[in-house]
Amino acid sequence: MTVSEWLYPAAVLLSGYLVLGITGMGSALVVVPLLARQWPLPEVVVLAILLDIPASMLHGGLNLPHVRWRELLRLVPGLVAGTLAGLWLLGTLDQRWPLFALGVYVVIVGLRALRPHAPSKPADPRWSLLAGLLAGLINVMFATAGPVVVAWLQRRIADVQGLRASVPVVMVLAGSIAIAVLASAGRVDPQLMGPRWLAALPVALLGVVLGNRIAARIPPLGMRRVLALLLTISGLSLMRHVWA
């Protein structure tokens, strides 16, 4: 691709990873639908996962003291199982209705988080297996597990800094598992993805750094509202697939 042909992907990538830098999630919700206008969806999903891993590592490193490792380790068994289930379902399932149902759930979670309410009891950690299962399944199929992860972790982590720092670490785990499974199944083309990834990575990392600096100026209550609004928008974005 020429430099001029990269202008549109670069603008999309910068926007998506600026969102990730601010909130800790949401890059794929910008990147996947917009880049799918230029490249085939399976290629865009693989690229988004490959970029999310180093971008989320950078974000997690910038906020490492706030990461809640115990909550993340609870998700790992479900992530593995969900990724394997998602690989099995690829190409065999009408993906629109599961995405619509997930979108409805995420919208409800986002709207509830926007309303002022008394603090609720943390969710039972035994549900971590199901949360990880859904995140792994959605990530390997659509690279959009962020809303599921946030919807779960905000039920377990009351501190908004801990939530914002922990979500990208989950995405590193989910992305690494997904890429390993996809590569073993022959769904990753190194000759195609290698040059694209190398060209796109600096743009993604720049977006994360800029977004993280912006986030430092947002108070905790404002950040919680930003996350809730992004969840609501993410859910609506997932729901639209039923008409795609």
Side-chain angles (χ1 to χ4, degrees), residues 131-143:
L133 184 77
L134 287 173
L137 190 150
I138 295 298
N139 200 53
V140 77
M141 295 177 74
F142 306 104

PDB file of all heavy atoms in Angstrom, residues 131-143:
ATOM      1  N   ALA A 131     -18.116 -15.325  32.613  1.00  0.00           N
ATOM      2  CA  ALA A 131     -17.653 -14.058  32.038  1.00  0.00           C
ATOM      3  C   ALA A 131     -16.449 -14.279  31.128  1.00  0.00           C
ATOM      4  O   ALA A 131     -16.369 -13.736  30.023  1.00  0.00           O
ATOM      5  CB  ALA A 131     -17.301 -13.073  33.161  1.00  0.00           C
ATOM      6  N   GLY A 132     -15.501 -15.093  31.579  1.00  0.00           N
ATOM      7  CA  GLY A 132     -14.340 -15.407  30.750  1.00  0.00           C
ATOM      8  C   GLY A 132     -14.718 -16.166  29.503  1.00  0.00           C
ATOM      9  O   GLY A 132     -14.163 -15.939  28.420  1.00  0.00           O
ATOM     10  N   LEU A 133     -15.682 -17.094  29.632  1.00  0.00           N
ATOM     11  CA  LEU A 133     -16.147 -17.860  28.481  1.00  0.00           C
ATOM     12  C   LEU A 133     -16.716 -16.949  27.401  1.00  0.00           C
ATOM     13  O   LEU A 133     -16.366 -17.062  26.213  1.00  0.00           O
ATOM     14  CB  LEU A 133     -17.208 -18.862  28.937  1.00  0.00           C
ATOM     15  CG  LEU A 133     -17.746 -19.821  27.881  1.00  0.00           C
ATOM     16  CD1 LEU A 133     -16.742 -20.927  27.604  1.00  0.00           C
ATOM     17  CD2 LEU A 133     -19.065 -20.430  28.324  1.00  0.00           C
ATOM     18  N   LEU A 134     -17.584 -16.008  27.794  1.00  0.00           N
ATOM     19  CA  LEU A 134     -18.168 -15.076  26.833  1.00  0.00           C
ATOM     20  C   LEU A 134     -17.098 -14.180  26.214  1.00  0.00           C
ATOM     21  O   LEU A 134     -17.111 -13.929  25.012  1.00  0.00           O
ATOM     22  CB  LEU A 134     -19.236 -14.230  27.516  1.00  0.00           C
ATOM     23  CG  LEU A 134     -20.555 -14.931  27.849  1.00  0.00           C
ATOM     24  CD1 LEU A 134     -21.436 -14.018  28.680  1.00  0.00           C
ATOM     25  CD2 LEU A 134     -21.273 -15.336  26.571  1.00  0.00           C
ATOM     26  N   ALA A 135     -16.176 -13.694  27.038  1.00  0.00           N
ATOM     27  CA  ALA A 135     -15.128 -12.807  26.530  1.00  0.00           C
ATOM     28  C   ALA A 135     -14.249 -13.522  25.517  1.00  0.00           C
ATOM     29  O   ALA A 135     -13.923 -12.974  24.457  1.00  0.00           O
ATOM     30  CB  ALA A 135     -14.291 -12.271  27.692  1.00  0.00           C
ATOM     31  N   GLY A 136     -13.834 -14.749  25.820  1.00  0.00           N
ATOM     32  CA  GLY A 136     -12.997 -15.499  24.892  1.00  0.00           C
ATOM     33  C   GLY A 136     -13.709 -15.797  23.592  1.00  0.00           C
ATOM     34  O   GLY A 136     -13.129 -15.673  22.505  1.00  0.00           O
ATOM     35  N   LEU A 137     -14.988 -16.175  23.676  1.00  0.00           N
ATOM     36  CA  LEU A 137     -15.773 -16.502  22.488  1.00  0.00           C
ATOM     37  C   LEU A 137     -15.937 -15.283  21.585  1.00  0.00           C
ATOM     38  O   LEU A 137     -15.706 -15.354  20.373  1.00  0.00           O
ATOM     39  CB  LEU A 137     -17.131 -17.052  22.920  1.00  0.00           C
ATOM     40  CG  LEU A 137     -18.024 -17.678  21.852  1.00  0.00           C
ATOM     41  CD1 LEU A 137     -18.886 -18.761  22.479  1.00  0.00           C
ATOM     42  CD2 LEU A 137     -18.925 -16.637  21.212  1.00  0.00           C
ATOM     43  N   ILE A 138     -16.335 -14.149  22.182  1.00  0.00           N
ATOM     44  CA  ILE A 138     -16.560 -12.926  21.398  1.00  0.00           C
ATOM     45  C   ILE A 138     -15.251 -12.403  20.826  1.00  0.00           C
ATOM     46  O   ILE A 138     -15.196 -11.913  19.692  1.00  0.00           O
ATOM     47  CB  ILE A 138     -17.231 -11.855  22.270  1.00  0.00           C
ATOM     48  CG1 ILE A 138     -18.639 -12.295  22.694  1.00  0.00           C
ATOM     49  CG2 ILE A 138     -17.306 -10.521  21.541  1.00  0.00           C
ATOM     50  CD1 ILE A 138     -19.592 -12.509  21.550  1.00  0.00           C
ATOM     51  N   ASN A 139     -14.157 -12.538  21.578  1.00  0.00           N
ATOM     52  CA  ASN A 139     -12.887 -11.975  21.114  1.00  0.00           C
ATOM     53  C   ASN A 139     -12.360 -12.699  19.886  1.00  0.00           C
ATOM     54  O   ASN A 139     -11.909 -12.078  18.926  1.00  0.00           O
ATOM     55  CB  ASN A 139     -11.844 -12.027  22.233  1.00  0.00           C
ATOM     56  CG  ASN A 139     -10.711 -11.062  21.998  1.00  0.00           C
ATOM     57  OD1 ASN A 139     -10.933  -9.871  21.774  1.00  0.00           O
ATOM     58  ND2 ASN A 139      -9.489 -11.537  22.031  1.00  0.00           N
ATOM     59  N   VAL A 140     -12.423 -14.033  19.887  1.00  0.00           N
ATOM     60  CA  VAL A 140     -11.867 -14.774  18.754  1.00  0.00           C
ATOM     61  C   VAL A 140     -12.739 -14.615  17.511  1.00  0.00           C
ATOM     62  O   VAL A 140     -12.254 -14.717  16.379  1.00  0.00           O
ATOM     63  CB  VAL A 140     -11.679 -16.257  19.118  1.00  0.00           C
ATOM     64  CG1 VAL A 140     -12.986 -17.018  19.092  1.00  0.00           C
ATOM     65  CG2 VAL A 140     -10.664 -16.923  18.186  1.00  0.00           C
ATOM     66  N   MET A 141     -14.034 -14.322  17.695  1.00  0.00           N
ATOM     67  CA  MET A 141     -14.931 -14.194  16.553  1.00  0.00           C
ATOM     68  C   MET A 141     -15.004 -12.771  16.009  1.00  0.00           C
ATOM     69  O   MET A 141     -15.121 -12.567  14.802  1.00  0.00           O
ATOM     70  CB  MET A 141     -16.330 -14.670  16.939  1.00  0.00           C
ATOM     71  CG  MET A 141     -16.407 -16.157  17.281  1.00  0.00           C
ATOM     72  SD  MET A 141     -18.048 -16.690  17.822  1.00  0.00           S
ATOM     73  CE  MET A 141     -18.920 -16.679  16.252  1.00  0.00           C
ATOM     74  N   PHE A 142     -14.938 -11.775  16.909  1.00  0.00           N
ATOM     75  CA  PHE A 142     -15.181 -10.398  16.480  1.00  0.00           C
ATOM     76  C   PHE A 142     -14.162  -9.387  17.022  1.00  0.00           C
ATOM     77  O   PHE A 142     -14.240  -8.206  16.685  1.00  0.00           O
ATOM     78  CB  PHE A 142     -16.584  -9.938  16.923  1.00  0.00           C
ATOM     79  CG  PHE A 142     -17.678 -10.855  16.467  1.00  0.00           C
ATOM     80  CD1 PHE A 142     -18.276 -11.725  17.357  1.00  0.00           C
ATOM     81  CD2 PHE A 142     -18.096 -10.867  15.149  1.00  0.00           C
ATOM     82  CE1 PHE A 142     -19.288 -12.578  16.950  1.00  0.00           C
ATOM     83  CE2 PHE A 142     -19.104 -11.713  14.735  1.00  0.00           C
ATOM     84  CZ  PHE A 142     -19.701 -12.575  15.627  1.00  0.00           C
ATOM     85  N   ALA A 143     -13.232  -9.809  17.877  1.00  0.00           N
ATOM     86  CA  ALA A 143     -12.235  -8.914  18.493  1.00  0.00           C
ATOM     87  C   ALA A 143     -12.885  -7.797  19.288  1.00  0.00           C
ATOM     88  O   ALA A 143     -12.315  -6.727  19.427  1.00  0.00           O
ATOM     89  CB  ALA A 143     -11.293  -8.327  17.423  1.00  0.00           C
TER      90      ALA A 143
END
